[in-house]
PDB file of all heavy atoms in Angstrom:
ATOM      1  N   ILE A 432      17.747 -28.930 -58.735  1.00 95.00           N
ATOM      2  CA  ILE A 432      19.161 -28.854 -58.379  1.00 95.00           C
ATOM      3  C   ILE A 432      19.869 -27.860 -59.303  1.00 95.00           C
ATOM      4  O   ILE A 432      19.803 -27.931 -60.540  1.00 95.00           O
ATOM      5  CB  ILE A 432      19.842 -30.236 -58.519  1.00 95.00           C
ATOM      6  CG1 ILE A 432      19.060 -31.314 -57.778  1.00 95.00           C
ATOM      7  CG2 ILE A 432      21.303 -30.161 -58.038  1.00 95.00           C
ATOM      8  CD1 ILE A 432      18.981 -31.074 -56.294  1.00 95.00           C
ATOM      9  N   PRO A 433      20.596 -26.870 -58.721  1.00 94.00           N
ATOM     10  CA  PRO A 433      21.347 -25.907 -59.501  1.00 94.00           C
ATOM     11  C   PRO A 433      22.481 -26.590 -60.292  1.00 94.00           C
ATOM     12  O   PRO A 433      23.060 -27.547 -59.845  1.00 94.00           O
ATOM     13  CB  PRO A 433      21.921 -24.909 -58.512  1.00 94.00           C
ATOM     14  CG  PRO A 433      21.062 -25.140 -57.262  1.00 94.00           C
ATOM     15  CD  PRO A 433      20.661 -26.572 -57.280  1.00 94.00           C
ATOM     16  N   LEU A 434      22.696 -26.027 -61.486  1.00 95.00           N
ATOM     17  CA  LEU A 434      23.845 -26.543 -62.316  1.00 95.00           C
ATOM     18  C   LEU A 434      25.027 -25.543 -62.185  1.00 95.00           C
ATOM     19  O   LEU A 434      24.875 -24.338 -62.106  1.00 95.00           O
ATOM     20  CB  LEU A 434      23.438 -26.584 -63.764  1.00 95.00           C
ATOM     21  CG  LEU A 434      22.176 -27.437 -64.078  1.00 95.00           C
ATOM     22  CD1 LEU A 434      21.931 -27.418 -65.571  1.00 95.00           C
ATOM     23  CD2 LEU A 434      22.356 -28.891 -63.573  1.00 95.00           C
ATOM     24  N   VAL A 435      26.196 -26.135 -62.088  1.00 93.00           N
ATOM     25  CA  VAL A 435      27.443 -25.363 -62.000  1.00 93.00           C
ATOM     26  C   VAL A 435      28.292 -25.746 -63.243  1.00 93.00           C
ATOM     27  O   VAL A 435      28.627 -26.892 -63.404  1.00 93.00           O
ATOM     28  CB  VAL A 435      28.210 -25.661 -60.701  1.00 93.00           C
ATOM     29  CG1 VAL A 435      29.528 -24.969 -60.733  1.00 93.00           C
ATOM     30  CG2 VAL A 435      27.401 -25.213 -59.521  1.00 93.00           C
ATOM     31  N   PHE A 436      28.641 -24.715 -64.007  1.00 95.00           N
ATOM     32  CA  PHE A 436      29.373 -24.949 -65.271  1.00 95.00           C
ATOM     33  C   PHE A 436      30.876 -24.694 -65.070  1.00 95.00           C
ATOM     34  O   PHE A 436      31.298 -23.746 -64.484  1.00 95.00           O
ATOM     35  CB  PHE A 436      28.834 -24.065 -66.376  1.00 95.00           C
ATOM     36  CG  PHE A 436      27.376 -24.257 -66.615  1.00 95.00           C
ATOM     37  CD1 PHE A 436      26.449 -23.408 -66.089  1.00 95.00           C
ATOM     38  CD2 PHE A 436      26.920 -25.295 -67.367  1.00 95.00           C
ATOM     39  CE1 PHE A 436      25.082 -23.532 -66.302  1.00 95.00           C
ATOM     40  CE2 PHE A 436      25.574 -25.508 -67.608  1.00 95.00           C
ATOM     41  CZ  PHE A 436      24.655 -24.628 -67.050  1.00 95.00           C
ATOM     42  N   ARG A 437      31.648 -25.627 -65.602  1.00 93.00           N
ATOM     43  CA  ARG A 437      33.132 -25.451 -65.485  1.00 93.00           C
ATOM     44  C   ARG A 437      33.778 -25.864 -66.801  1.00 93.00           C
ATOM     45  O   ARG A 437      33.149 -26.560 -67.636  1.00 93.00           O
ATOM     46  CB  ARG A 437      33.691 -26.295 -64.353  1.00 93.00           C
ATOM     47  CG  ARG A 437      33.569 -27.804 -64.498  1.00 93.00           C
ATOM     48  CD  ARG A 437      34.239 -28.575 -63.383  1.00 93.00           C
ATOM     49  NE  ARG A 437      34.113 -30.045 -63.515  1.00 93.00           N
ATOM     50  CZ  ARG A 437      34.922 -30.743 -64.234  1.00 93.00           C
ATOM     51  NH1 ARG A 437      35.890 -30.190 -64.944  1.00 93.00           N
ATOM     52  NH2 ARG A 437      34.753 -32.076 -64.334  1.00 93.00           N
ATOM     53  N   GLY A 438      34.944 -25.466 -67.035  1.00 95.00           N
ATOM     54  CA  GLY A 438      35.711 -25.900 -68.212  1.00 95.00           C
ATOM     55  C   GLY A 438      35.504 -24.924 -69.396  1.00 95.00           C
ATOM     56  O   GLY A 438      35.959 -25.257 -70.520  1.00 95.00           O
ATOM     57  N   GLU A 439      34.878 -23.761 -69.148  1.00 94.00           N
ATOM     58  CA  GLU A 439      34.702 -22.788 -70.251  1.00 94.00           C
ATOM     59  C   GLU A 439      36.079 -22.325 -70.843  1.00 94.00           C
ATOM     60  O   GLU A 439      36.163 -22.093 -72.029  1.00 94.00           O
ATOM     61  CB  GLU A 439      33.942 -21.533 -69.775  1.00 94.00           C
ATOM     62  CG  GLU A 439      32.538 -21.772 -69.255  1.00 94.00           C
ATOM     63  CD  GLU A 439      32.526 -21.818 -67.712  1.00 94.00           C
ATOM     64  OE1 GLU A 439      33.402 -22.442 -67.135  1.00 94.00           O
ATOM     65  OE2 GLU A 439      31.594 -21.221 -67.194  1.00 94.00           O
ATOM     66  N   ASP A 440      37.085 -22.266 -70.011  1.00 94.00           N
ATOM     67  CA  ASP A 440      38.396 -21.760 -70.473  1.00 94.00           C
ATOM     68  C   ASP A 440      39.093 -22.681 -71.445  1.00 94.00           C
ATOM     69  O   ASP A 440      39.965 -22.245 -72.197  1.00 94.00           O
ATOM     70  CB  ASP A 440      39.257 -21.473 -69.273  1.00 94.00           C
ATOM     71  CG  ASP A 440      39.474 -22.675 -68.356  1.00 94.00           C
ATOM     72  OD1 ASP A 440      38.526 -23.552 -68.339  1.00 94.00           O
ATOM     73  OD2 ASP A 440      40.496 -22.761 -67.686  1.00 94.00           O
ATOM     74  N   ILE A 441      38.714 -23.959 -71.421  1.00 95.00           N
ATOM     75  CA  ILE A 441      39.420 -24.921 -72.332  1.00 95.00           C
ATOM     76  C   ILE A 441      38.467 -25.603 -73.251  1.00 95.00           C
ATOM     77  O   ILE A 441      38.830 -26.489 -74.044  1.00 95.00           O
ATOM     78  CB  ILE A 441      40.172 -25.988 -71.525  1.00 95.00           C
ATOM     79  CG1 ILE A 441      39.193 -26.761 -70.577  1.00 95.00           C
ATOM     80  CG2 ILE A 441      41.292 -25.369 -70.692  1.00 95.00           C
ATOM     81  CD1 ILE A 441      39.852 -27.927 -69.878  1.00 95.00           C
ATOM     82  N   SER A 442      37.150 -25.166 -73.291  1.00 95.00           N
ATOM     83  CA  SER A 442      36.226 -25.735 -74.261  1.00 95.00           C
ATOM     84  C   SER A 442      36.700 -25.430 -75.678  1.00 95.00           C
ATOM     85  O   SER A 442      36.907 -24.249 -76.011  1.00 95.00           O
ATOM     86  CB  SER A 442      34.813 -25.157 -74.031  1.00 95.00           C
ATOM     87  OG  SER A 442      33.977 -25.326 -75.188  1.00 95.00           O
ATOM     88  N   PRO A 443      36.856 -26.440 -76.548  1.00 94.00           N
ATOM     89  CA  PRO A 443      37.289 -26.177 -77.894  1.00 94.00           C
ATOM     90  C   PRO A 443      36.364 -25.195 -78.693  1.00 94.00           C
ATOM     91  O   PRO A 443      36.888 -24.306 -79.377  1.00 94.00           O
ATOM     92  CB  PRO A 443      37.242 -27.573 -78.567  1.00 94.00           C
ATOM     93  CG  PRO A 443      37.399 -28.520 -77.429  1.00 94.00           C
ATOM     94  CD  PRO A 443      36.694 -27.826 -76.262  1.00 94.00           C
ATOM     95  N   GLY A 444      35.061 -25.362 -78.457  1.00 94.00           N
ATOM     96  CA  GLY A 444      34.140 -24.490 -79.169  1.00 94.00           C
ATOM     97  C   GLY A 444      34.247 -23.019 -78.714  1.00 94.00           C
ATOM     98  O   GLY A 444      34.219 -22.087 -79.507  1.00 94.00           O
ATOM     99  N   LEU A 445      34.358 -22.812 -77.384  1.00 93.00           N
ATOM    100  CA  LEU A 445      34.439 -21.472 -76.874  1.00 93.00           C
ATOM    101  C   LEU A 445      35.778 -20.835 -77.215  1.00 93.00           C
ATOM    102  O   LEU A 445      35.835 -19.599 -77.457  1.00 93.00           O
ATOM    103  CB  LEU A 445      34.220 -21.503 -75.321  1.00 93.00           C
ATOM    104  CG  LEU A 445      32.837 -21.947 -74.872  1.00 93.00           C
ATOM    105  CD1 LEU A 445      32.783 -21.957 -73.352  1.00 93.00           C
ATOM    106  CD2 LEU A 445      31.757 -21.042 -75.487  1.00 93.00           C
ATOM    107  N   ARG A 446      36.816 -21.588 -77.288  1.00 93.00           N
ATOM    108  CA  ARG A 446      38.108 -21.079 -77.685  1.00 93.00           C
ATOM    109  C   ARG A 446      38.172 -20.633 -79.135  1.00 93.00           C
ATOM    110  O   ARG A 446      38.970 -19.788 -79.572  1.00 93.00           O
ATOM    111  CB  ARG A 446      39.173 -22.098 -77.452  1.00 93.00           C
ATOM    112  CG  ARG A 446      39.487 -22.340 -75.909  1.00 93.00           C
ATOM    113  CD  ARG A 446      40.467 -23.487 -75.732  1.00 93.00           C
ATOM    114  NE  ARG A 446      41.805 -23.166 -76.253  1.00 93.00           N
ATOM    115  CZ  ARG A 446      42.738 -22.487 -75.567  1.00 93.00           C
ATOM    116  NH1 ARG A 446      42.477 -22.075 -74.296  1.00 93.00           N
ATOM    117  NH2 ARG A 446      43.932 -22.253 -76.129  1.00 93.00           N
TER     118      ARG A 446
END
Side-chain angles (χ1 to χ4, degrees):
I432 307 299
L434 304 180
V435 174
F436 302 99
R437 66 176 179 84
E439 297 101 317
D440 56 332
I441 58 175
S442 163
L445 295 179
R446 289 175 66 87

